[in-house]
Amino acid sequence: MAALTLETLDLVNPDLYVQRGYPHEEWALLRKEAPVFRYVRPDVEPFWAITRHADVVNVSRQPDLFKSSQLLFVTQDEPGSPLPDEAVLRQLLNMNPPEHGEFRRVVNQRFTPRSVQQLKDQVERITTEVLDELVGREECDFVTEVSAKLPLAVIAEMFGIPRADWAMMFRLSNAMIGPADPEYGGSETIKENLEKARMEFFQYFNQLCEDRRKNPRDDLASALANGKAFGEPLPPFELFSYFALLIIAGNETTRNATTGGLHALISYPDQWERLKHDPSLAPKATEEIVRWTSPVIQFTRFATADTVLGGQQLREGDILVLFYPSAARDEEVFERPSVFDIGRYPNPHISFGIGEHFCLGANLARLELQVMFRQLAQRMEFVELAGPTQRMRSSFVGGIKHMPIRYRIRAR
Amino acid sequence: MRVVVDHNLCEGNGRCAEVAPQMFELRDDDRSYVRMQTPPQDLRAKIQLAVTLCPRQAIRLIED
């Protein structure tokens, strides 16, 4: 293979992510030689690639200078792709202060550590049930049978969505986050995939909201349906966008951290033995898994004024891409960053982001991962890969679609 | 020095109360409150750590 150079390295081609996973060598080179790097390639919107932990923090904590926009992430232009402003919803990820805070307050009380702690028994029960279904067999697809099920069940229960509709939520959520992936799409073009999924989602949620306005309950759907921002009910498009955001975000990323976490534990058998020997390591293991997998690859910001960052002159309107998996392997912050160490402490990763847009569901994700990996450590006596893993075609979120495993699991 | 918690940002993640319990307390409304107006200098390092660790970057240390 040709040597890696700044001029030729590729960061946003979705096919690259299918074939090789995350471009850690590329990011390492950028952190070392060009941490604020002007990325100019054919068929890609030019941007500044931000790869160091300190710079990602610095940009994230100045939401007025570096704003979020309709452009959530940068990818290779492809025929049939939606235009950037067609592809997005109006939701927290592309809002700015003060609107962002106002909308975030509609639900944020339900995601505080205290609120999330009240879900613990529920998460334990769902996890146990999910693992029970593996008993009596020796092989399964860990993604569809385990890691996808827990987050979906938890967010669906929080919303008050009946169990009969969970499978549909799973399908639509996949189609909305991975419209460029042929397995999740099904239509002729990426744009059509997205529109079809969105329409179905929209109709379902409309009914749910109507019901919760008439019969409010103590669930997320009621909080949204009856929620207010700036003293007014949420407008329909914003309301739907909020729903889509929470369902998708509550689904995909935790799924991918779970899958990636088990993959890492299989790849580092000493760490798997360590966790089995001491399941109380699950909280630290969770932090390391989130650092290691960094399921969100990138979010963008744009500069609202000329400014200097990392010695580079940025112009007003320039796009910045924050690469979270790169920040998670920054040699200046983490000792031996390329080692998977489930006891790592301190572990100041920023894979949930930081500042204004810090992951709303971080506490929930942590709880789900902690419970899942503690139960796996207690029940799964043996596990290995039973075939090749298949990654999702996306340069936005790092997903594993299928991961066949061979295992032995204890009955309860 | 003075310490301010921005309650528009704070979501009660509680890292501050973990690393500097003398300075921050998490109350029933899931927000962090400062325990004193003018903290002693020997708390500076811990407060700095809380500022850095806050996931929402809601804490500011203001020099007099």
Side-chain angles (χ1 to χ4, degrees):
Chain A
M1 198 180 131
L4 206 55
T5 67
L6 293 178
E7 290 68 37
T8 56
L9 59 76
D10 191 330
L11 299 176
V12 295
N13 179 351
D15 290 319
L16 172 91
Y17 287 82
V18 177
Q19 292 150 11
R20 308 176 25 200
Y22 284 180
H24 279 297
E25 282 177 35
E26 283 83 341
W27 286 325
L29 181 70
L30 286 168
R31 284 194 303 274
K32 186 159 162 260
E33 293 187 6
V36 177
F37 175 66
R38 187 71 179 159
Y39 188 90
V40 181
R41 303 285 187 270
D43 303 322
V44 179
E45 185 85 39
F47 62 86
W48 295 98
I50 313 297
T51 46
R52 277 190 189 161
H53 189 283
D55 290 326
V56 175
V57 172
N58 189 10
V59 169
S60 302
R61 62 187 304 174
Q62 300 182 76
D64 294 318
L65 181 57
F66 301 109
K67 281 197 170 163
S68 299
S69 72
Q70 301 289 66
L71 182 78
L72 287 185
F73 62 96
V74 173
T75 187
Q76 201 98 24
D77 288 338
E78 297 182 70
S81 296
L83 297 169
D85 55 341
E86 290 177 320
V88 287
L89 304 160
R90 271 193 48 73
Q91 31 83 340
L92 296 177
L93 294 178
N94 48 37
M95 286 180 183
N96 290 296
E99 192 184 28
H100 174 260
E102 187 68 18
F103 271 78
R104 192 168 163 122
R105 272 188 288 279
V106 174
V107 296
N108 69 357
Q109 285 287 320
R110 290 170 183 270
F111 293 95
T112 63
R114 190 204 313 258
S115 303
V116 164
Q117 212 47 43
Q118 291 167 1
L119 299 169
K120 186 162 185 296
D121 291 348
Q122 218 172 324
V123 172
E124 292 278 4
R125 173 180 51 78
I126 296 170
T127 307
T128 303
E129 287 171 10
V130 165
L131 294 182
D132 282 350
E133 287 182 34
L134 301 188
V135 175
R137 286 183 293 152
E138 292 174 348
E139 286 190 20
C140 75
D141 176 0
F142 187 74
V143 179
T144 52
E145 296 191 58
V146 180
S147 49
K149 280 189 182 170
L150 173 66
L152 179 71
V154 172
I155 196 73
E157 279 203 9
M158 285 178 81
F159 259 100
I161 293 172
R163 194 170 274 244
D165 299 335
W166 291 3
M168 182 184 68
M169 287 296 127
F170 181 63
R171 177 173 59 80
L172 294 177
S173 167
N174 281 340
M176 284 180 68
I177 197 140
D181 192 293
E183 182 180 336
Y184 292 155
S187 298
E188 286 290 301
T189 68
I190 298 170
K191 189 177 157 179
E192 279 172 32
N193 284 336
L194 203 56
E195 279 172 359
K196 228 171 68 187
R198 195 173 287 180
M199 188 49 71
E200 252 185 280
F201 230 1
F202 188 66
Q203 284 165 351
Y204 182 84
F205 182 57
N206 252 353
Q207 284 185 338
L208 194 65
C209 277
E210 260 173 54
D211 176 68
R212 294 306 196 276
R213 286 197 189 104
K214 285 185 215 128
N215 317 297
R217 299 190 209 168
D218 183 25
D219 60 24
L220 264 176
S222 305
L224 284 184
N226 303 299
K228 288 185 172 170
F230 300 111
E232 300 285 333
L234 307 185
F237 187 60
E238 277 76 357
L239 190 59
F240 165 66
S241 301
Y242 218 138
F243 171 67
L245 171 71
L246 293 180
I247 292 283
I248 294 170
N251 233 306
E252 299 284 342
T253 45
T254 311
R255 174 200 311 177
N256 292 324
T258 308
T259 311
L262 186 67
H263 190 273
L265 288 165
I266 292 171
S267 311
Y268 294 82
D270 59 321
Q271 298 301 306
W272 174 232
E273 288 306 317
R274 196 177 164 196
L275 185 61
K276 279 202 295 183
H277 184 72
D278 181 7
S280 75
L281 277 171
K284 282 193 182 121
T286 291
E287 296 310 309
E288 182 65 347
I289 285 167
V290 173
R291 182 188 78 90
W292 190 254
T293 57
S294 281
V296 174
I297 299 168
Q298 50 153 314
F299 276 120
T300 70
R301 298 288 188 272
F302 73 95
T304 58
D306 291 1
T307 185
V308 174
L309 185 74
Q312 299 289 332
Q313 177 66 54
L314 276 55
R315 298 289 173 201
E316 182 183 342
D318 280 359
I319 296 168
L320 293 80
V321 174
L322 311 180
F323 284 108
Y324 299 96
S326 176
R329 303 275 176 111
D330 191 331
E331 300 77 3
E332 305 229 330
V333 176
F334 302 99
E335 268 175 51
R336 300 177 304 141
S338 301
V339 172
F340 179 68
D341 170 8
I342 62 163
R344 186 181 288 277
Y345 188 86
N347 193 341
H349 69 76
I350 47 168
S351 299
F352 287 119
I354 190 164
E356 182 76 27
H357 290 274
F358 175 72
C359 176
L360 181 66
N363 297 307
L364 181 61
R366 285 185 159 121
L367 174 64
E368 290 174 8
L369 291 166
Q370 288 171 10
V371 170
M372 174 60 78
F373 281 98
R374 193 174 35 69
Q375 289 203 19
L376 279 172
Q378 287 165 340
R379 292 183 68 178
M380 206 166 246
E381 294 167 336
F382 158 81
V383 60
E384 66 181 11
L385 294 179
T389 57
Q390 285 177 42
R391 297 191 198 89
M392 191 163 101
R393 188 173 182 279
S394 169
S395 55
F396 178 35
V397 292
I400 294 181
K401 295 192 296 180
H402 301 289
M403 187 168 87
I405 58 166
R406 197 170 298 116
Y407 62 89
R408 203 165 53 242
I409 194 165
R410 254 191 287 271
R412 238 192 286 182
Chain B
M1 82 182 138
R2 284 188 303 128
V3 179
V4 180
V5 179
D6 183 343
H7 283 175
N8 282 321
L9 287 173
C10 178
E11 289 178 343
N13 285 290
R15 303 302 305 276
C16 52
E18 254 169 60
V19 298
Q22 305 92 327
M23 188 62 211
F24 302 98
E25 64 171 332
L26 210 55
R27 293 199 192 148
D28 288 346
D29 64 352
D30 274 333
R31 293 210 171 104
S32 170
Y33 288 82
V34 294
R35 289 178 184 273
M36 56 193 123
Q37 286 308 314
T38 46
Q41 284 299 329
D42 60 349
L43 279 183
R44 177 180 288 270
K46 284 186 173 175
I47 294 169
Q48 278 289 5
L49 189 61
V51 169
T52 311
L53 288 181
C54 175
R56 294 276 282 152
Q57 300 283 287
I59 306 169
R60 272 182 308 146
L61 198 162
I62 300 164
E63 303 294 348
D64 292 320

